[in-house]
Amino acid sequence: MSALDILLWVAVPYISLAVFVVGHIWRYRYDKFGWTTRSSQLYENRLLRLGSPLFHFGILLVAIGHIGGLLVPKSWTEAVGISDTAYHVVAVVLGVLAGACTLFGAAILVYRRRTVGPVFSATTRNDKLMYVLLVGAIVLGLGTTVLGNLTADPHDYRETVSPWFRSILILRPEPALMAAAPLGFQLHVLVAFALFAFWPFSRLVHVFSMPLGYLTRPYVVYRSRDEQLGSRPTRRGWERVP
Amino acid sequence: MRVMAQMAMVMNLDKCIGCHTCSVTCKQAWTNRSGVEYVWFNNVETRPGLGYPRTYEDQERWRGGWTVNRRGRLKLKGGGRLRKLLTIFSNPKLPSIDDYYEPWTYDYDTLTSAPLQEHTPVARPRSLISGEPTKITWSANWDDNLGGAPDHGHRDPMLKGIEDKVRFEFEQTFMFYLPRICEHCLNPSCAASCPSGAIYKRSEDGIVLVDQDRCRGWRMCVSGCPYKKVYFNHRTGKAEKCTFCFPRVEVGLPTVCAETCVGRLRYIGLVLYDADRVLEAASTPDDTDLYEAQRRVFLDPNDPEVVRAAERAGIPRDWIEAAQRSPVHALITTFKVALPLHPEYRTMPMVWYIPPLSPVVDVVRDTGHDAEDHGNLFAAIEALRIPVEYLARLFTAGDVEPVNAVLRRLAAMRAYMRDINLGREPREEVAMRVGMTGEQVYDMYRLLALAKYDERYVIPPAHAEQAHGLEELATECSLDYEGGPGMGGSGPFGENSGGASPIAVENFRMLRDRQTTDTIAAPLDKDNRVNLLNWDGKGRPDGLFPPREHPGGGDPAGEVEPKP
Ligand code: SF4
Ligand code: SF4
Ligand code: SF4
């Protein structure tokens, strides 16, 4: 195992994940005000109405697929009697479908960003980098899946990528597994980790604001006035008397 | 009984001259920043007219507010929680910038830098959204004073069914101004639509606010508010709304829009209400009963039992006293001349209006009759079906009876007071015809016509003991807070990231930023373009004046070169 393997399949993932976690904590504490979807729907709705749901629902499916594929060991699915071929067919069909939706949605959104004037001028450099990484990861992932399955003997990532990813998570990295995977998977993984490292500093943070609490909270929220009245902090000795 | 206090406003529409001072001062105070150019927390619309944003009252289209379903339960008109979450990626009912208008500035720079030419250079409009040259086709009050009304006045949603009866020819029409701010509803559908729970109603004074740190830009509140009084800041990606000027109200000052109102037609005061009965009242099956239902939610602050319950609920003594003196309570409950705007939206709005008698008076006067005579006015109120019906659509979900009653009271007051002003014996029977005593009519007149500042605005400060340290008192520099004024600049994720800064300071900083850089409108030559709208007359923003030829001294007279 070369030093490069260690670097790519041990160091890079850990650094990326660390940046991902610490970055989010830092951003949440430092920049709650900047934590937003920064929607551009006000400027343009016709393309967004099509592209945005396609992309977002697609990528949610893709995410669920990845969680299943990466975290559930092959032995478990076999234990409940799902044959390898059945699993593979379902995974490929659903994966390609969801991936295609995502990519198509993303294409519409990128096209919209580029051609609709107000949307384009509201696009920051940060957004552009994010788009490159995100679309890059999607294209590589989808391409690997499609091309791999065109060959007679598609690579079974559940023998290499998945156990390697789990080995990272349980802090006993086995870089050799990943080093044995085909180039397509390797590139996809590397771009994905670059995306993870960039994530907390981009608008992608809004993923973690998925407002599921809305389903259960009371409709109208009451809150007490801030301790601080007016617009500057209370000075010592002038605190509110209960 | 769960007593809560609500800061509320009443506007007397007869006195509004449509000067837009309130809109402009509010804008200068709160929305003079990029991203909110099109935002008018206070706007004044001419009615009949389209309103702002255009046709916002057409809830079949925009689906704001609440509705009762077949089982009589209150639900959001725009769909329940699950539906909201499923449409979160593309809000189906969001007004686009075209429904507001595309904000613009002018490239004033050409006025000073254009080369010698035959024609006088002009400053052309530029969109503040795209930065491109633009054509101005609409604005926040494009149809002011029925401007263009023959063309689009009939699209006023409140005219549905009576379009052909309303005349828009200048001599024949009636019109009045409707200043609007956020209603700070008792049952706010904006808050109910917010997936993040970022919009909250303050339990002390009922002011509805958006927590800028928790808003994630889902835009559901914009659709949810039937009055379209939540706006989306397209630069920060957060929702913003009228704050009832809480930093001022907290120290006992009236809101900016009320303070600067030229007609002195705004009243601010507390209303006590029973929070346990809000839902029940909002679910009243019949739209036309909602006005009464909402009034029944209000509590009488002079009732000892209410006072005891209020004290138990932790409402301070001076607040209860303020509620007893509240002009808002008097106009709504004692004199019964104030009506809610669109009670049928079921949000229980808390900015109420005294409908204008002037359309009626004008007609009576124009026909040569005595417009101060209650008999003539009463007859005209009965006869002038269209204006009254229109007012009823705005204020009582179409029920003309309450509007008639209010107009008759105002007419009676007019007639009663004329006798007094002419030194005649006032006629008690005029007051009795509208179910009041002469003394009550006089009190009402006092409140509507004479009331001084401290009678129009009865605002108990949040905590007087703190007043010294509060922002709006000028005993200390209000920019003197930790971190310093405007020192921060922007965070690493664009101009709108980083910690939240105090509102006044934020405005200060934004103003300064806009004076010096205006990237959205002037992408390339931003250094020599300046937004005059935001220039306060101080300093020399780059590009406003031609560069000095000899910086740092020399004979000043030498700078005045003869220009070709
Ligand atoms: S009027 Fe104000 S409080 Fe009422 S729903 Fe609209 S934004 Fe919310
Ligand atoms: S209360 Fe304040 S924020 Fe609201 S409209 Fe009036 S001035 Fe503007
Ligand atoms: S300042 Fe007063 S009179 Fe002028 S438009 Fe506003 S509400 Fe009407």
Side-chain angles (χ1 to χ4, degrees):
Chain A
M1 204 168 17
S2 70
L4 186 69
D5 286 338
I6 305 270
L7 177 72
L8 291 184
W9 314 122
V10 181
V12 165
Y14 279 124
I15 292 172
S16 161
L17 290 179
V19 172
F20 184 82
V21 173
V22 178
H24 272 103
I25 296 171
W26 171 78
R27 175 113 190 241
Y28 188 74
R29 296 182 53 143
Y30 171 75
D31 186 28
K32 282 204 193 93
F33 182 49
W35 194 291
T36 154
T37 56
R38 229 156 22 78
S39 159
S40 56
Q41 191 181 353
L42 194 68
Y43 303 137
E44 198 277 350
N45 194 22
R46 204 174 45 86
L47 288 169
L48 183 98
R49 197 169 49 204
L50 188 65
S52 177
L54 259 181
F55 170 77
H56 281 97
F57 285 117
I59 199 116
L60 280 177
L61 277 181
V62 169
I64 293 170
H66 274 67
I67 292 171
L70 288 175
L71 296 189
V72 180
K74 200 170 181 176
S75 51
W76 293 13
T77 47
E78 272 163 4
V80 292
I82 302 173
S83 83
D84 210 20
T85 359
Y87 182 94
H88 187 75
V89 168
V90 173
V92 167
V93 170
L94 283 186
V96 169
L97 211 65
C101 282
T102 313
L103 192 63
F104 186 50
I108 296 177
L109 293 180
V110 172
Y111 169 78
R112 169 175 177 273
R113 268 210 178 258
R114 191 63 201 85
T115 54
V116 179
V119 186
F120 185 57
S121 55
T123 309
T124 62
R125 248 178 269 156
N126 184 308
D127 292 344
K128 288 175 194 158
L129 180 57
M130 184 275 292
Y131 269 105
V132 169
L133 291 175
L134 186 64
V135 175
I138 297 170
V139 169
L140 282 170
L142 191 61
T144 308
T145 311
V146 172
L147 294 181
N149 281 287
L150 292 180
T151 62
D153 178 28
H155 176 75
D156 187 359
Y157 56 85
R158 300 217 293 161
E159 304 279 356
T160 55
V161 186
S162 304
W164 164 78
F165 188 74
R166 290 196 293 273
S167 78
I168 295 280
L169 288 190
I170 58 171
L171 304 181
R172 262 183 242 140
E174 295 177 37
L177 285 169
M178 194 61 212
L183 183 66
F185 285 98
Q186 290 183 339
L187 286 178
H188 175 64
V189 164
L190 284 178
V191 174
F193 275 114
L195 180 65
F196 286 152
F198 186 56
W199 195 296
F201 313 104
S202 72
R203 66 200 293 177
L204 292 182
V205 287
H206 75 263
V207 172
F208 295 97
S209 315
M210 219 188 282
L212 294 178
Y214 185 49
L215 293 173
T216 50
R217 72 145 220 260
Y219 263 139
V220 179
V221 180
Y222 288 92
R223 251 167 73 179
S224 206
R225 180 165 50 212
D226 272 356
E227 231 3 74
Q228 171 193 332
L229 294 179
S231 64
R232 63 171 166 178
T234 317
R235 293 180 317 157
R236 276 186 53 209
W238 292 93
E239 289 91 357
R240 193 185 217 171
V241 186
Chain B
M1 181 157 56
R2 190 157 56 95
V3 185
M4 289 184 93
Q6 169 78 39
M7 201 54 86
M9 191 185 282
V10 168
M11 303 193 207
N12 182 0
L13 294 185
D14 253 335
K15 291 200 196 174
C16 180
I17 57 173
C19 63
H20 300 276
T21 307
C22 46
S23 308
V24 172
T25 49
C26 170
K27 188 149 197 53
Q28 274 292 359
W30 304 121
T31 55
N32 190 2
R33 295 171 274 133
S34 56
V36 283
E37 303 93 347
Y38 76 102
V39 171
W40 295 88
F41 289 164
N42 183 112
N43 76 299
V44 184
E45 43 202 50
T46 305
R47 304 311 299 260
L50 300 187
Y52 182 72
R54 257 173 281 179
T55 68
Y56 70 93
E57 284 155 309
D58 184 357
Q59 298 314 334
E60 291 319 304
R61 173 160 177 223
W62 299 115
R63 311 206 71 77
W66 304 85
T67 169
V68 279
N69 64 10
R70 250 174 280 125
R71 281 174 296 137
R73 298 246 324 236
L74 197 64
K75 66 180 187 48
L76 284 173
K77 200 168 173 118
R81 302 165 197 265
L82 201 58
R83 191 193 164 103
K84 285 253 147 58
L85 288 193
L86 287 177
T87 53
I88 204 163
F89 301 128
S90 158
N91 181 344
K93 294 291 172 199
L94 188 77
S96 79
I97 195 76
D98 302 323
D99 293 304
Y100 300 94
Y101 66 99
E102 196 161 327
W104 72 89
T105 182
Y106 293 93
D107 48 6
Y108 297 105
D109 177 50
T110 50
L111 298 182
T112 56
S113 62
L116 179 65
Q117 53 188 318
E118 195 184 335
H119 301 289
T120 316
V122 290
R124 278 170 315 152
R126 258 171 196 271
S127 163
L128 280 169
I129 300 274
S130 64
E132 300 299 319
T134 184
K135 212 171 152 241
I136 304 166
T137 54
W138 199 262
S139 80
N141 50 330
W142 199 251
D143 52 351
D144 210 21
N145 298 319
L146 299 179
D151 289 338
H152 46 244
H154 297 284
R155 295 204 338 261
D156 180 341
M158 293 297 110
L159 285 178
K160 215 171 195 165
I162 51 175
E163 298 101 327
D164 42 341
K165 296 193 210 142
V166 175
R167 294 268 161 268
F168 281 112
E169 284 83 44
F170 183 68
E171 279 90 6
Q172 292 161 307
T173 192
F174 72 96
M175 96 182 183
F176 59 95
Y177 302 104
L178 181 71
R180 292 199 308 123
I181 69 171
C182 162
E183 299 279 346
H184 296 276
C185 309
L186 298 184
N187 184 30
S189 55
C190 58
S193 311
C194 173
S196 314
I199 302 189
Y200 61 99
K201 193 166 177 62
R202 294 214 299 196
S203 36
E204 288 89 351
D205 50 17
I207 295 176
V208 178
L209 294 170
V210 184
D211 183 337
Q212 293 287 304
D213 274 350
R214 294 183 63 182
C215 170
R216 300 286 174 250
W218 302 121
R219 322 175 287 297
M220 290 299 172
C221 51
V222 182
S223 317
C225 170
Y227 303 90
K228 289 292 168 281
K229 277 296 173 188
V230 191
Y231 297 87
F232 188 68
N233 180 328
H234 59 89
R235 286 298 274 286
T236 61
K238 304 250 167 170
E240 293 190 23
K241 65 181 287 301
C242 156
T243 61
F244 212 81
C245 293
F246 73 86
R248 289 173 60 88
V249 167
E250 281 173 0
V251 294
L253 294 171
T255 67
V256 169
C257 52
E259 170 98 77
T260 58
C261 173
V262 172
R264 301 192 178 179
L265 56 91
R266 299 187 182 214
Y267 298 81
I268 298 177
L270 283 177
V271 172
L272 299 183
Y273 70 99
D274 184 355
D276 285 339
R277 297 218 309 264
V278 170
L279 190 65
E280 180 200 318
S283 323
T284 307
D286 207 339
D287 278 356
T288 48
D289 294 335
L290 279 159
Y291 158 58
E292 282 297 334
Q294 181 168 3
R295 252 201 9 221
R296 279 197 299 272
V297 172
F298 301 151
L299 299 169
D300 178 2
N302 294 307
D303 179 347
E305 204 171 309
V306 171
V307 171
R308 269 197 303 279
E311 271 167 354
R312 270 201 308 278
I315 297 177
R317 187 70 222 179
D318 57 332
W319 279 54
I320 298 174
E321 277 159 19
Q324 289 164 349
R325 289 187 296 123
S326 163
V328 171
H329 176 256
L331 291 168
I332 292 178
T333 308
T334 316
F335 303 129
K336 294 200 182 65
V337 285
L339 300 171
L341 179 66
H342 291 306
E344 72 273 22
Y345 298 161
R346 297 173 186 274
T347 61
M348 305 268 116
M350 286 310 291
V351 174
W352 286 39
Y353 294 88
I354 303 177
L357 185 65
S358 42
V360 179
V361 175
D362 288 348
V363 170
V364 175
R365 186 180 304 123
D366 290 349
T367 50
H369 290 87
D370 178 5
E372 312 280 329
D373 180 76
H374 66 284
N376 288 346
L377 286 172
F378 285 177
I381 293 169
E382 297 297 325
L384 288 177
R385 293 260 291 288
I386 296 304
V388 175
E389 203 172 306
Y390 184 79
L391 290 174
R393 285 174 182 212
L394 287 182
F395 299 117
T396 51
D399 185 5
V400 288
E401 261 329 297
V403 179
N404 266 338
V406 172
L407 294 183
R408 286 164 65 94
R409 277 169 184 235
L410 296 175
M413 181 179 83
R414 234 180 132 84
Y416 185 84
M417 287 312 299
R418 182 177 57 171
D419 286 337
I420 295 183
N421 290 338
L422 293 180
R424 295 199 296 239
E425 198 52 34
R427 284 171 295 165
E428 192 71 18
E429 74 266 18
V430 176
M432 274 162 57
R433 294 258 320 254
V434 292
M436 295 171 90
T437 65
E439 206 182 317
Q440 277 179 321
V441 170
Y442 187 77
D443 284 348
M444 182 163 99
Y445 166 76
R446 263 197 55 78
L447 187 55
L448 290 182
L450 306 177
K452 292 273 174 289
Y453 194 86
D454 57 350
E455 293 167 87
R456 278 181 283 132
Y457 311 128
V458 181
I459 306 169
H463 284 274
E465 67 274 13
Q466 261 200 328
H468 181 66
L470 291 171
E471 171 197 23
E472 304 288 344
L473 291 188
T475 49
E476 277 178 272
C477 172
S478 58
L479 298 178
D480 168 26
Y481 77 106
E482 218 181 326
M487 295 301 168
S490 57
F493 308 107
E495 61 178 303
N496 294 308
S497 62
S501 38
I503 295 164
V505 173
E506 187 190 341
N507 259 329
F508 168 84
R509 183 187 301 162
M510 294 280 190
L511 195 64
R512 190 205 52 192
D513 285 354
R514 283 194 75 168
Q515 281 168 0
T516 48
T517 59
D518 200 353
T519 39
I520 195 97
L524 291 174
D525 50 351
K526 63 182 179 193
D527 290 342
N528 48 34
R529 184 168 294 156
V530 63
N531 186 345
L532 265 190
L533 192 63
N534 292 332
W535 185 48
D536 59 2
K538 299 204 188 93
R540 291 174 58 103
D542 287 343
L544 183 60
F545 303 109
R548 292 185 197 201
E549 311 257 310
H550 311 287
D555 180 12
E559 288 180 14
V560 190
E561 281 171 19
K563 293 274 182 274

